[in-house]
Amino acid sequence: AVEAVVSTQSTGSLSLSGSIFGLDPVHWASFPLTTETLARMRISDTDPETFVISNHPLRIVELCGFVTEVQKWSGGVKVTLDDTKGAVNCVRWIDDWEVTVGDLISVRGVIKIFREEIEIRVYRVISQTDLNKLTVHFLRAKQLLSFMLTTPFVIKEKEQIVKDMEGKIERSIVANI
């Protein structure tokens, strides 16, 4: 069920507040964040599997930090990742993760709530050997947060979408001639 378009703004755009988050490209992309930003996010009112920041729906995130705790069990591994801004639990449900306390790692995964705490269900892990990776991650996270998430996601009216598409098609034809 579509529960989304609720108001027209003075810009002529329609704002999104509902369950058609898939129209926002940020929803499908992995997004670099710090644990500080992760803690400020809220759960969507209409989709408990989606987190929202500045009206952008986020599900898949990238984090980089130091491992401060490792818990292994027969079905997987749980680590606490500290990026100097805070800490978050990261869980991988496959016991193939070789990690020790003090390792610098980057993870990509889906944001989940487990026992009223945010955790990341990890599907990709990269061990880092260069400490500059943490700094680069912070800079990417800050840049994307300031450029992309400070402008709320809105749906344009149909006429504007058609004009935008016509312009892109025309530029594409000219570029290929």
Side-chain angles (χ1 to χ4, degrees):
V2 175
E3 313 170 337
V5 182
V6 293
S7 65
T8 302
Q9 299 174 343
S10 60
T11 61
S13 297
L14 300 172
S15 76
L16 174 74
S17 88
S19 62
I20 52 176
F21 291 135
L23 296 174
D24 188 344
V26 174
H27 181 71
W28 301 106
S30 63
F31 204 87
L33 289 179
T34 62
T35 54
E36 180 180 48
T37 304
L38 192 61
R40 289 193 330 243
M41 294 174 63
R42 65 178 175 81
I43 299 173
S44 165
D45 297 333
T46 59
D47 182 4
E49 296 290 314
T50 302
F51 287 73
V52 179
I53 187 165
S54 186
N55 206 32
H56 285 275
L58 293 177
R59 293 179 55 237
I60 306 168
V61 296
E62 297 174 18
L63 296 168
C64 184
F66 295 97
V67 176
T68 58
E69 185 180 349
V70 179
Q71 297 175 15
K72 292 189 176 194
W73 69 93
S74 62
V77 180
K78 175 178 160 182
V79 303
T80 302
L81 186 72
D82 187 336
D83 68 357
T84 72
K85 302 275 186 186
V88 66
N89 290 326
C90 299
V91 177
R92 185 164 169 102
W93 289 96
I94 303 171
D95 192 14
D96 67 347
W97 194 357
E98 295 300 321
V99 65
T100 58
V101 172
D103 287 353
L104 177 63
I105 61 172
S106 295
V107 298
R108 180 179 292 167
V110 179
I111 310 169
K112 296 287 184 182
I113 296 289
F114 180 69
R115 295 187 181 161
E116 299 182 14
E117 287 189 24
I118 293 176
E119 73 176 21
I120 307 301
R121 301 271 171 86
V122 176
Y123 60 82
R124 190 187 112 206
V125 180
I126 298 176
S127 293
Q128 303 291 350
T129 55
D130 186 359
L131 292 177
N132 290 324
K133 295 290 185 181
L134 184 60
T135 304
V136 169
H137 177 82
F138 280 153
L139 292 173
R140 278 187 65 222
K142 183 175 180 168
Q143 180 185 32
L144 287 173
L145 189 66
S146 66
F147 287 124
M148 288 187 70
L149 298 182
T150 54
T151 305
F153 174 60
V154 294
I155 299 175
K156 297 179 181 177
E157 290 190 38
K158 186 168 63 171
E159 295 81 18
Q160 184 61 43
I161 293 171
V162 170
K163 286 180 186 175
D164 291 349
M165 289 305 294
E166 287 173 349
K168 288 178 183 178
I169 292 170
E170 192 174 301
R171 286 191 298 274
S172 176
I173 291 170
V174 170
N176 291 323
I177 293 179

